[in-house]
Amino acid sequence: MVELKSPGELDAMRESGRVVAQALQAVKKESVTGVSLKELDEVAAQVIRDAGAKPNFLNYRPHSAPTPFPGVICASVNDAVVHGIPSGYRLNDGDLVSIDCGAYIDGWHGDAAISYVVGTADPADLELIATTERGLAAGIAAALAGGRMGDISHAVGTVGREAGYGLLENHGGHGIGRAMHEDPHLPNEGRPGRGMRLKPGLVLAIEPMYIADGTDEYRTAEDGWTLHTASGCRAAHVEHTVAITTEGPRVLTML
């Protein structure tokens, strides 16, 4: 069931989105060589606590998961695309890091992700991240009242495919609001002019996940959560929570 949010409810979601943005900024700032993913998880947890919010990833367990998720953030490094568990792994110079974070206040959820390189960056990694960010921007620009879900999917997919990147198979964005994951599912590839009509009050987490070598396949790690590229190449993931409004798309997870 798709639920449309009122202007007041969107304002409430903006508060949770702001906390997510602050947590991501803090994690990126602390991401230096030698820092562990677990330490970055604590950074995000502290920001969320200080804001009077709660993490929405911690102990989350969908039907497909073997165990509850043990972290506040998803921390995915290099060939890990999404859902990486924050572990004792310590960052190395040149690591490509994707951090996904969620929080909720008064029952309203926010969800966003960023990708960046620690220390010395390979130009290919920077291009992958920049293109993934362009894919997100294109998806947001297509999130217009009166349009169709396929418009967003087409925008995200076109940017990735034209750059020669793959799209993580069977994964995409989602509705968000009172629950972290709500209807509808938002594919990262599709046909424009198709799918559900975009109505004011619909809130979507738009999240491109691009794979460097142009393939879409992945493998699931032994932890049951982390999704790695099948070939071992690198990947990037970025995300914003976005509301459809009569004035245009409203990004709820900005600072």
Side-chain angles (χ1 to χ4, degrees):
M1 178 179 176
V2 176
E3 293 187 0
L4 302 180
K5 283 71 176 177
S6 69
E9 290 171 336
L10 294 183
D11 289 340
M13 290 190 69
R14 175 70 180 105
E15 293 309 306
S16 60
R18 197 187 318 272
V19 173
V20 171
Q22 291 168 346
L24 288 172
Q25 181 186 56
V27 168
K28 183 177 180 180
K29 182 179 179 180
E30 296 299 321
S31 294
V32 297
T33 302
V35 170
S36 74
L37 300 181
K38 189 64 177 176
E39 288 168 339
L40 295 181
D41 193 67
E42 284 299 323
V43 170
Q46 187 64 54
V47 171
I48 292 170
R49 280 195 299 268
D50 289 348
K54 295 182 179 180
N56 53 16
F57 291 3
L58 185 64
N59 295 321
Y60 178 66
R61 187 179 184 181
H63 294 303
S64 59
T67 58
F69 191 77
V72 169
I73 59 173
C74 294
S76 307
V77 181
N78 296 331
D79 69 320
V81 191
V82 290
H83 305 162
I85 292 176
S87 65
Y89 175 84
R90 294 191 177 277
L91 296 176
N92 293 304
D93 186 56
D95 277 347
L96 194 168
V97 182
S98 296
I99 303 292
D100 195 351
C101 184
Y104 66 98
I105 301 175
D106 296 328
W108 292 105
H109 291 255
D111 189 5
I114 57 174
S115 287
Y116 53 90
V117 177
V118 176
T120 308
D122 185 323
D125 289 342
L126 295 179
E127 180 61 24
L128 172 62
I129 293 169
T131 303
T132 311
E133 291 172 344
R134 284 198 295 111
L136 175 58
I140 293 171
L144 300 173
R148 299 279 187 176
M149 288 280 287
D151 299 340
I152 302 174
S153 300
H154 178 72
V156 170
T158 297
V159 171
R161 294 298 188 196
E162 288 185 347
Y165 297 134
L167 307 174
L168 185 66
E169 191 174 36
N170 299 324
H171 285 75
H174 53 89
I176 184 172
R178 286 287 185 187
M180 181 168 60
H181 291 108
E182 296 182 349
D183 291 333
H185 173 66
L186 176 60
N188 276 336
E189 195 166 32
R191 298 177 63 183
R194 300 293 183 93
M196 189 183 77
R197 183 75 67 184
L198 301 175
K199 298 180 179 180
L202 176 64
V203 184
L204 299 167
I206 303 174
E207 50 180 321
M209 293 162 266
Y210 291 171
I211 296 175
D213 69 356
T215 62
D216 299 350
E217 295 77 20
Y218 65 91
R219 62 176 180 84
T220 303
E222 291 183 1
D223 61 29
W225 278 100
T226 311
L227 303 185
H228 294 269
T229 60
S231 67
C233 74
R234 294 190 170 194
H237 170 218
V238 296
E239 176 184 18
H240 271 308
T241 296
V242 181
I244 310 296
T245 78
T246 54
E247 291 79 33
R250 180 184 181 189
V251 180
L252 302 178
T253 42
M254 299 285 283
L255 286 174

